[in-house]
Amino acid sequence: MTIEPLIHAPLVVQAHVATVVPAFGLGAWLLLFSRKGSRWHRALGVMFLALMVITAIVSLFIHRRTPESAVFGLSSTHLFVPFVFFATWRAINGALRGNITQHQRWVMGLFFGALVINGVNNIFFLPGITHNVFFGP
């Protein structure tokens, strides 16, 4: 494992990593250890959702995997962007309306879908900077 590929990556990739890594840690803590409904849970939950939205927006400017794509250089990984926006809206909507089941389902879907599944896919199956950080070029 080496961070050399990340150090030489474009600034937008570094910004993406700078938002997705804390979002993963914060999301894991909120799901596993946080006392649900507490003031800290709410404050850190807002930070988690903000990091996820920022991560999604920043990812729209990453075109390294398919720069010649007919769809503005976007790859299949970019399909997670509308999912993040929709899941964030549904999670906030559920929390504000007191529909905790809705809130929990959308936050877990956001965490496992956009972070865990997409992360595993990028680390193990897709070539690129993320794969190179863990396994070398």
Side-chain angles (χ1 to χ4, degrees):
M1 184 168 157
T2 175
I3 63 168
E4 190 75 23
L6 185 58
I7 291 170
H8 297 295
L11 185 60
V12 68
V13 172
Q14 294 174 355
H16 179 73
V17 172
T19 58
V20 79
V21 170
F24 182 82
L26 196 54
W29 188 85
L30 285 165
L31 288 173
L32 297 173
F33 304 113
S34 175
R35 199 177 96 230
K36 311 306 183 256
S38 70
R39 186 179 311 155
W40 276 106
H41 179 82
R42 291 177 187 190
L44 295 176
V46 168
M47 285 177 41
F48 168 73
L49 293 176
L51 284 168
M52 289 301 295
V53 168
I54 293 167
T55 299
I57 292 169
V58 168
S59 75
L60 290 172
F61 298 97
I62 300 174
H63 305 288
R64 296 182 52 86
R65 193 163 283 130
T66 55
E68 303 301 322
S69 168
V71 191
F72 310 110
L74 301 179
S75 69
S76 58
T77 301
H78 289 94
L79 293 173
F80 284 98
V81 172
F83 170 70
V84 168
F85 294 153
F86 186 75
T88 299
W89 170 66
R90 296 299 292 159
I92 292 170
N93 178 267
L96 292 176
R97 293 178 184 250
N99 188 343
I100 302 307
T101 302
Q102 173 186 321
H103 172 74
Q104 287 175 333
R105 287 182 179 162
W106 282 103
V107 169
M108 284 195 279
L110 183 61
F111 182 80
F112 289 105
L115 290 174
V116 175
I117 292 172
N118 195 26
V120 167
N121 189 37
N122 278 291
I123 291 169
F124 293 107
F125 302 114
L126 296 176
I129 294 169
T130 310
H131 178 81
N132 292 346
V133 164
F134 286 90
F135 302 109

